[in-house]
Amino acid sequence: MLTTIALLVLPNAKYEQSYREYIAELGDEERYPFPLDFDHTDFAELLAKKERFRNGIDLPDGFVASTTYWLVEGDEILGVANLRHQLNERIRHAGGHIGLGVRPAKRGCGLGNLLLKLTLDKAFDSGINPVHIHCHKHNAASARMIIANGGILESEIGDGGEVVQRYLINAL
Ligand SMILES: CC(C)(COP(=O)(O)OP(=O)(O)OC[C@H]1O[C@@H](n2cnc3c(N)ncnc32)[C@H](O)[C@@H]1OP(=O)(O)O)[C@@H](O)C(=O)NCCC(=O)NCCS
């Protein structure tokens, strides 16, 4: 039973310490969503870079504008989501509109379902419908989270030796 009062916020300096703890907690684990790979030595520059991504400025080749959201409670970051503002050919194929993750110590108690729901609300509010969301077939928690939020399996494809499941979620 989820009893947390968590909010979705844009990245801001208030959460610097929690962000650093979050990255340390991830250790060598592959990081989702991709902005967790950004260098965070200079925290102000990290925030500025996220803002550039949000505004579509200085994007690397092949990237579309995207907004990062933090799921927070008090001063703590519980999870991170990244909402792509549109698809291009590459992420329509594999990647989709939303990437997200929950910090390891907080997994398995409903926060992934909540984070996806709140991020879907942002997507639908901005006119994205349906939302394309993809996961590796072996990632049972991710697939169940997507299905719990109304995901309908559209197709499965091979990608780099893995099977990627491609789901669609329509606004209610
Ligand atoms: C995927 C992830 C975000 C899910 O977050 P979470 O907070 O653990 O998920 P929840 O507790 O909300 O559970 C979501 C669903 O997965 C199920 N689930 C949770 N952990 C599971 C596990 N280890 N194995 C199988 N199912 C699991 C839950 O029962 C729930 O399904 P239900 O609603 O049908 O009961 C989290 O595991 C994570 O951050 N993983 C690493 C990053 C990642 O893989 N991101 C997704 C990339 S596509």
Side-chain angles (χ1 to χ4, degrees):
M1 176 75 174
L2 186 62
T3 54
T4 188
I5 302 174
L7 304 169
L8 205 59
V9 299
L10 290 172
N12 71 74
K14 174 180 168 188
Y15 300 99
E16 176 172 354
Q17 188 186 336
S18 182
Y19 188 85
R20 293 186 186 283
E21 290 164 1
Y22 194 125
I23 297 289
E25 197 176 310
L26 287 171
D28 292 336
E29 174 179 316
E30 191 172 355
R31 296 179 193 168
Y32 291 99
F34 74 89
L36 286 168
D37 284 328
F38 293 171
D39 181 21
H40 61 289
T41 318
D42 178 344
F43 202 72
E45 170 51 23
L46 172 73
L47 295 177
K49 183 168 179 173
K50 287 179 189 295
E51 197 56 16
R52 290 197 294 276
F53 265 74
R54 189 157 85 94
N55 291 305
I57 297 168
D58 291 341
L59 299 177
D61 280 350
F63 281 70
V64 299
S66 65
T67 301
T68 294
Y69 295 103
W70 289 344
L71 184 72
V72 301
E73 185 178 34
D75 291 338
E76 190 180 16
I77 303 173
L78 305 173
V80 178
N82 179 258
L83 172 64
R84 276 68 97 167
H85 299 182
Q86 77 244 352
L87 299 179
N88 60 18
E89 207 174 312
R90 181 175 69 92
I91 58 175
R92 178 180 290 276
H93 178 71
H97 284 109
I98 294 176
L100 80 173
V102 167
R103 68 187 296 163
K106 300 286 183 180
R107 290 178 190 160
C109 49
L111 288 170
N113 280 351
L114 175 66
L115 176 56
L116 180 55
K117 181 195 175 307
L118 295 174
T119 310
L120 285 168
D121 289 345
K122 297 285 186 192
F124 296 142
D125 284 352
S126 70
I128 299 171
N129 189 26
V131 171
H132 294 233
I133 181 158
H134 302 166
C135 71
H136 288 130
K137 188 170 186 172
H138 66 75
N139 191 340
S142 187
R144 286 187 63 172
M145 172 186 70
I146 294 167
I147 291 165
N149 274 279
I152 304 294
L153 184 62
E154 184 247 334
S155 55
E156 290 186 347
I157 54 155
D159 187 66
E162 301 247 31
V163 176
V164 173
Q165 294 188 320
R166 303 193 292 196
Y167 292 84
L168 296 177
I169 304 181
N170 285 283
L172 292 176

